Amino acid sequence: MDLPETVTIDVQMWTSLRGRLHDFTVVVADTPDPAPRDPDEWHRWTEAVLADVADRDGWQSGRYYFTTEGDGLGTLTRDHWEYRA
């Protein structure tokens, strides 16, 4: 299977005062080589990418929800992630 050069991670942030999600950012990352073999590996890879971006960009602590997608591959993984600054 040919993988795209990049994957996108759509990130939403949980707002506890409103009790809902709101769009936060989209992260575009180079596809890892070798590519993860299953959703669990994609999940671990996505959390590592998000941790790097959050640390670099100074995100606030909280719960983030993500969907990782590859062009032509559909959804690779989706879940929530707890970030502590």
Side-chain angles (χ1 to χ4, degrees), residues 3-82:
L3 293 173
E5 289 183 25
T6 60
V7 294
T8 58
I9 306 169
D10 183 26
V11 183
Q12 296 180 309
M13 183 179 195
W14 175 254
T15 55
S16 58
L17 294 177
R18 294 184 180 163
R20 63 185 176 124
L21 296 169
H22 74 273
D23 292 337
F24 184 67
T25 192
V26 174
V27 175
V28 178
D30 292 336
T31 303
D33 185 21
R37 295 178 307 241
D38 59 43
D40 288 337
E41 285 186 17
W42 277 108
H43 186 274
R44 287 188 295 277
W45 175 83
T46 299
E47 285 188 345
V49 169
L50 290 178
D52 287 344
V53 172
D55 289 343
R56 182 188 68 224
D57 293 351
W59 292 8
Q60 69 183 31
S61 295
R63 178 173 282 190
Y64 295 84
Y65 289 78
F66 62 84
T67 303
T68 305
E69 297 181 337
D71 189 31
L73 299 176
T75 300
L76 301 166
T77 188
R78 74 172 48 154
D79 201 356
H80 72 276
W81 173 63
E82 297 286 338

